[in-house]
Amino acid sequence: MSDPSAPRGLRSEIAWVFLKLGTIGFGGPAAHIALMEDEVVRRRRWLSRQDFLDLLAATHMIPGPNSTEMAIHLGLRRGGASGLLIAGICFILPAALIVTAMAWSYVRFGSYPVAKGALLAIQPVIAVIVVQAVWSLGREAVRTRGLAILAVAALISYALGAHELVVIGVAGLFAAILGVGGGTRETAPALGLLPSAGPASPSGPSGPSDPSGPALLAAAVAPAAAAAVPVTTWGLFLVFLKTGSVLFGSGYVLVAFLRADLVERWRWLSESQLLDAVAVGQFTPGPLSATATFIGYLLAGWPGAAAATLGMFLPSFVLVALSGPLVPRLRRSRAAGAVLDGLVIGSLAVMAVVSFLLARSAITDWISALVAVVAALLLLRFRVNAAWLVLGAGALGAALGMR
């Protein structure tokens, strides 16, 4: 590893690389990681492909957004402690700034009828994208009969009212005890890391994505549910700190945690606002977890956006700093792999229940049902990028003035 006090030229190089990747990183985690592999392995030769894959495996062993943690790992490997901070901040910053601008637009213009129509059309599309992500991830994650049984048990437990953290934690524990997971995986093919990987944005069955489009979404602010407790920046920070500390699996698992805390537990958001926040996340480069920035601004303005963003991503910096030296051992550990498999299964079970609830909230009449069916056909049959689906639905809803 490079010396923590990286030279100024090296720090500038790290900053430039990850600002660029954070700005052009459309298409979700698979696309982000493919872009990183092309940039730092093939073009700049910062590390070998095997070293890159070792770091990639390590990101699956800790909670948090995988592509962000991969950027932080690469910064740590290239420039030590200062590289860790620079790479992570520069990768997150473009999405955070864009999402904050979109949140301002949402609050300023979202109550206009045309924006309401766009949002009502977008919500069924988001529900379809989340359901597709659950199905795609589930097919990859449930590799054995034992994991399938564990998935069903976790799903039933959460549907019957168990806390999401208990469901996920117990799933990880049982996977280790029963030995139903673990072992090494061929990570690269699942993430689309082909030798010629470039800026193309994969979509559809390749996995969940948080793609972006060229247009700014004017979203509608639905009336928030009566808050059970007052919204504070400190409260927002703690909610997102907890979420960032336990977020295993897809970025869409974030939806499950946010729904449980912000919609049901604290009543700071409505179901509609949560869907709107996820919709905005579809348009931005960088991790879907930047949705935290949008929600923070919506609830508490600029201070809320800063608090939510810091809380969401701080655990990733800490966990990468702690786990980086352990990468070789983690990669070879069957026990650690079994725990990880269980955590992912628990996360997907929670996500499956939430996807059903979100779909029920978004699809309320024949128009929204038709939008959902067309979106599913385009996403699954024709593999249309999710960003274009969201943009198209928004344009259609604005044009028709859906209510």
Side-chain angles (χ1 to χ4, degrees):
M1 183 180 299
S2 302
D3 190 284
S5 56
R8 180 175 299 179
L10 183 57
R11 293 197 297 267
S12 299
E13 181 190 25
I14 294 170
W16 165 249
V17 166
F18 287 98
L19 275 174
K20 180 178 75 171
L21 291 172
T23 303
I24 66 172
F26 303 114
H32 302 164
I33 293 169
L35 286 168
M36 291 178 195
E37 190 270 344
D38 182 66
E39 183 73 28
V40 306
V41 177
R42 293 175 55 82
R43 300 173 69 177
R44 296 180 181 269
R45 302 185 185 278
W46 284 3
L47 70 172
S48 70
R49 182 175 174 83
Q50 186 57 60
D51 286 337
F52 184 88
L53 292 175
D54 286 347
L55 296 179
L56 186 55
T59 66
H60 292 277
M61 301 297 296
I62 56 176
N66 287 346
S67 57
T68 302
E69 289 170 346
M70 190 63 182
I72 297 170
H73 266 300
L74 291 169
L76 178 64
R77 179 64 62 92
R78 180 63 173 170
S82 61
L84 175 149
L85 292 172
I86 292 168
I89 292 170
C90 289
F91 185 69
I92 295 165
L93 187 62
L97 293 176
I98 293 170
V99 168
T100 301
M102 295 176 75
W104 175 86
S105 177
Y106 181 99
V107 172
R108 178 66 179 83
F109 303 110
S111 61
Y112 292 178
V114 66
K116 286 184 178 179
L119 251 299
L120 288 174
I122 286 172
Q123 288 176 1
V125 176
I126 295 298
V128 167
I129 292 169
V130 174
V131 170
Q132 184 274 332
V134 172
W135 176 256
S136 177
L137 286 172
R139 291 180 62 185
E140 179 180 341
V142 183
R143 307 185 311 278
T144 66
R145 181 175 299 177
L147 288 174
I149 294 171
L150 187 61
V152 172
L155 191 150
I156 293 173
S157 299
Y158 186 64
L160 292 178
H163 193 284
E164 66 274 8
L165 295 185
V166 174
V167 171
I168 294 171
V170 171
L173 180 63
F174 269 82
I177 293 173
L178 301 177
V180 295
T184 58
R185 295 187 188 184
E186 187 62 34
T187 312
L191 291 169
L193 296 179
L194 302 178
S196 59
S201 297
S203 63
S206 62
S209 61
D210 49 351
S212 171
L216 183 68
L217 174 64
V221 180
V229 295
V231 178
T232 64
T233 53
W234 178 246
L236 278 170
F237 172 78
L238 291 178
V239 166
F240 283 100
L241 182 70
K242 182 197 78 172
T243 302
S245 299
V246 297
L247 186 65
F248 277 94
S250 161
Y252 285 110
V253 178
L254 175 68
V255 180
F257 286 109
L258 296 186
R259 184 182 183 278
D261 280 333
L262 301 181
V263 177
E264 292 189 337
R265 200 161 290 136
W266 303 114
R267 299 185 182 179
W268 290 349
L269 288 179
S270 67
E271 293 267 13
S272 177
Q273 287 173 319
L274 177 59
L275 285 168
D276 295 347
V278 179
V280 168
Q282 294 290 314
F283 285 89
T284 57
L288 181 63
S289 300
T291 299
T293 308
F294 180 91
I295 292 173
Y297 184 92
L298 181 63
L299 294 177
W302 299 99
T309 304
L310 179 62
M312 185 72 233
F313 292 104
L314 181 60
S316 293
F317 286 90
V318 175
L319 291 169
V320 169
L322 294 175
S323 66
L326 304 176
V327 169
R329 295 180 184 179
L330 290 174
R331 187 172 182 270
R332 294 191 297 266
S333 171
R334 184 174 182 83
V339 173
L340 177 63
D341 283 340
L343 293 171
V344 171
I345 289 295
S347 297
L348 289 175
V350 171
M351 200 172 146
V353 175
V354 169
S355 67
F356 169 76
L357 296 173
L358 289 177
R360 187 177 64 180
S361 173
I363 303 173
T364 56
D365 54 29
W366 72 268
I367 297 178
S368 57
L370 179 61
V371 171
V373 169
V374 172
L377 179 65
L378 293 174
L379 183 66
L380 301 175
R381 176 66 179 85
F382 297 101
R383 302 174 67 88
V384 175
N385 190 294
W388 295 115
L389 293 180
V390 175
L391 280 170
L396 178 65
L400 297 180
M402 295 179 64
R403 299 177 185 178

